[in-house]
Amino acid sequence: MAKISPSILAADLANLSDEVSRVGEADLLHIDVMDGLFVPNITFGIPLMEALGRIDHPPLDVHLMIHDPARYIEDYISLGAVNVHVHVEGNYHLHRLITSIKEQGAGAFVVLNPSTPVGAVEEVLSIVDGILVMTVNPGFTGQKFIPEASLKIDRLHAIREAEGYGYEIAVDGGVNLSNAPDLVKRGADILIMGAAVFRAESPEEVVRSVKGLKR
Ligand code: DX5
Ligand code: ZN
């Protein structure tokens, strides 16, 4: 069964608690933290995590698109992040970062931008909890899915099978109800979806259909 992580970047932030209550039985809630340097957009951070602490929500899946994420890992985990996604690009000490996320009790996911090859994470595949394949260039919700980038799912799935690794494969960017079944068939375990959930008439129904997808 596939897992879904709706991205609140696509939600109406003026009605955040209503929006969060619309995702029904979502497995996770995806939080896109951007600093205007690592990506060309600024979103939200610690204060939003604190606000979420005052309402009911699915477990938090935090995607850090910021320079030097190591500075903030502890804050996000203490505010409830169950998964922390850090990019391989620009991280000089990725192994140390993964180890530190895991030691603090959260799931360590490493993110690949569309132009970053699977080879960039080969040496950490045995220790990560997940790999996130970006299928848009990170920065904004509502962008077009990049099919070439999704080929990495096949590679990651094949390596996982061959080596017996336990990492999950997540996909983020332009995922919708039309491409989701194929992504799951090819090995994706977690679908991160912004516009396709929050701009749908019934987000709850989208969540239900994605959760019903089987490999
Ligand atoms: C993009 C973010 C995504 C984004 C997904 O930089 O990492 O999580 O919010 O939004 P959609 O599904 O609309 O592409
Ligand atoms: Zn994201």
Side-chain angles (χ1 to χ4, degrees), residues 47-67:
L48 182 87
M49 296 288 290
E50 288 167 347
L52 286 168
R54 299 193 288 276
I55 63 173
D56 286 338
H57 56 72
L60 304 177
D61 185 45
V62 175
H63 180 184
L64 296 177
M65 285 158 277
I66 60 177
H67 268 299

Side-chain angles (χ1 to χ4, degrees), residues 7 9 30 32 34 63 65 134 136 138-143 172-175 192-195:
S7 163
L9 185 57
H30 190 74
D32 286 306
M34 304 186 189
H63 180 184
M65 285 158 277
M134 288 305 302
V136 298
F140 305 93
T141 180
Q143 302 184 82
D172 185 8
V175 179
I192 295 161
M193 294 167 71

Side-chain angles (χ1 to χ4, degrees), residues 34 37-40 63-66 86-91 110-121 131-140 143 146 148-152 156 170 172:
M34 304 186 189
L37 292 168
F38 186 76
V39 286
H63 180 184
L64 296 177
M65 285 158 277
I66 60 177
V86 291
H87 280 255
V88 58
E89 305 88 10
N91 257 313
V110 176
V111 192
L112 300 171
N113 275 340
S115 64
T116 305
V118 169
V121 290
I131 297 290
L132 169 54
V133 174
M134 288 305 302
T135 39
V136 298
N137 287 294
F140 305 93
Q143 302 184 82
I146 302 172
E148 311 85 90
S150 80
L151 299 178
K152 278 178 269 186
L156 286 163
D172 185 8

Side-chain angles (χ1 to χ4, degrees), residues 33-194:
V33 179
M34 304 186 189
D35 67 356
L37 292 168
F38 186 76
V39 286
N41 193 12
I42 300 176
T43 55
F44 30 66
I46 305 287
L48 182 87
M49 296 288 290
E50 288 167 347
L52 286 168
R54 299 193 288 276
I55 63 173
D56 286 338
H57 56 72
L60 304 177
D61 185 45
V62 175
H63 180 184
L64 296 177
M65 285 158 277
I66 60 177
H67 268 299
D68 202 1
R71 287 177 300 167
Y72 298 102
I73 298 294
E74 210 180 311
D75 294 338
Y76 283 97
I77 295 175
S78 69
L79 287 166
V82 297
N83 290 335
V84 179
H85 301 259
V86 291
H87 280 255
V88 58
E89 305 88 10
N91 257 313
Y92 303 120
H93 301 289
L94 189 63
H95 187 281
R96 175 184 288 149
L97 193 53
I98 292 166
T99 309
S100 148
I101 294 170
K102 290 173 54 155
E103 277 172 2
Q104 292 175 64
F109 280 65
V110 176
V111 192
L112 300 171
N113 275 340
S115 64
T116 305
V118 169
V121 290
E122 206 178 315
E123 308 306 327
V124 293
L125 287 177
S126 60
I127 61 164
V128 290
D129 295 292
I131 297 290
L132 169 54
V133 174
M134 288 305 302
T135 39
V136 298
N137 287 294
F140 305 93
T141 180
Q143 302 184 82
K144 212 170 142 263
F145 182 80
I146 302 172
E148 311 85 90
S150 80
L151 299 178
K152 278 178 269 186
I153 297 169
D154 307 80
R155 304 262 321 276
L156 286 163
H157 183 54
I159 297 172
R160 176 169 65 181
E161 296 283 290
E163 303 292 333
Y165 291 149
Y167 54 80
E168 293 191 288
I169 301 172
V171 196
D172 185 8
V175 179
N176 54 43
L177 283 181
S178 320
N179 55 24
D182 174 59
L183 299 172
V184 172
K185 265 208 181 77
R186 288 164 47 202
D189 306 289
I190 305 175
L191 302 185
I192 295 161
M193 294 167 71

